Amino acid sequence: MEVMGISAPTVTVFISSSLNTFRSEKRYNRSLTIAEFKCKLELVVGSPASCMELELYGADDKFYSKLDQEDALLGSYPVDDGCRIHVIDHSGVRLGEYEDVSKVEKYEISQEAYDQRQNTVRSFMKRSKLGPYNEELRAQQEAEAAQRLSEEKAQASAISVGSRCEDSQISSRATGLASAMMSR
């Protein structure tokens, strides 16, 4: 009698690298050659495939083996769900170099130049009279705010200096607690 192991065509693994401090969880087809797998890893870790050395670790983070035969299939190694594949980069890039966003040149535009463009969110909102560009809604909100302010001023002027204040929410909670205590 012959016993055959059946495994899923894909495997979910964690990818770590000597170039960054985070891990990625990815799913790969077991039928990929190691050379093809390295090309897919380029997009994940940022290291060129030609500069990669791959190590396989189990779910318990115990070292299993190196993935060093370029023409071997990923599934020919003991790769299983939850394993970790660590990419060691030999291109000379330092740890965290790809994570430092302070080195990235940022595009900036002046407010005047942005206002002159026609294909922006701001120009769309102005044309559609949305948000802060809706004069009627803004006037209504300002009127409501002025009304609330005058009501609060009237209520504040009705309170004499030195009188005691009570928060209605605290008062209602205290009344509820007192009635619950008395019902015991």
Side-chain angles (χ1 to χ4, degrees), residues 105-169:
E105 186 177 329
K106 292 154 187 73
Y107 177 76
E108 294 185 17
I109 186 171
S110 69
Q111 293 297 323
E112 296 79 25
Y114 185 74
D115 282 336
Q116 291 175 358
R117 291 185 172 209
Q118 297 301 314
N119 59 345
T120 64
V121 172
R122 186 181 298 164
S123 65
F124 172 77
M125 290 178 70
K126 283 181 181 179
R127 282 192 307 271
S128 303
K129 299 186 190 253
L130 296 173
Y133 305 105
N134 186 340
E135 296 298 327
E136 293 174 6
L137 179 62
R138 217 167 86 198
Q140 179 184 356
Q141 289 173 340
E142 288 174 3
E144 288 173 0
Q147 176 68 25
R148 275 196 309 275
L149 182 63
S150 66
E151 288 174 4
E152 288 175 6
K153 283 183 180 179
Q155 289 174 349
S157 64
I159 299 173
S160 60
V161 175
S163 26
R164 296 183 64 150
C165 295
E166 181 178 293
D167 186 353
S168 61
Q169 290 178 346

Side-chain angles (χ1 to χ4, degrees), residues 88-111:
I88 300 171
D89 178 74
H90 294 291
S91 68
V93 178
R94 294 184 345 262
L95 171 68
E97 189 168 329
Y98 294 139
E99 297 174 9
D100 186 5
V101 295
S102 68
K103 296 179 181 177
V104 177
E105 186 177 329
K106 292 154 187 73
Y107 177 76
E108 294 185 17
I109 186 171
S110 69
Q111 293 297 323

Side-chain angles (χ1 to χ4, degrees), residues 32-130:
L32 290 170
T33 65
I34 296 302
E36 294 169 330
F37 181 57
K38 284 181 176 182
C39 290
K40 292 194 178 285
L41 289 176
E42 281 185 27
L43 302 172
V44 178
V45 298
S47 176
S50 60
C51 299
M52 287 184 191
E53 180 183 332
L54 303 181
E55 295 179 339
L56 175 63
Y57 291 85
D60 57 354
D61 230 19
K62 179 182 171 189
F63 177 76
Y64 281 176
S65 68
K66 289 191 178 284
L67 307 179
D68 53 3
Q69 294 182 7
E70 297 285 317
D71 56 343
L73 298 179
L74 181 62
S76 67
Y77 289 95
V79 178
D80 206 3
D81 287 341
C83 285
R84 177 172 65 94
I85 296 175
H86 183 70
V87 179
I88 300 171
D89 178 74
H90 294 291
S91 68
V93 178
R94 294 184 345 262
L95 171 68
E97 189 168 329
Y98 294 139
E99 297 174 9
D100 186 5
V101 295
S102 68
K103 296 179 181 177
V104 177
E105 186 177 329
K106 292 154 187 73
Y107 177 76
E108 294 185 17
I109 186 171
S110 69
Q111 293 297 323
E112 296 79 25
Y114 185 74
D115 282 336
Q116 291 175 358
R117 291 185 172 209
Q118 297 301 314
N119 59 345
T120 64
V121 172
R122 186 181 298 164
S123 65
F124 172 77
M125 290 178 70
K126 283 181 181 179
R127 282 192 307 271
S128 303
K129 299 186 190 253
L130 296 173

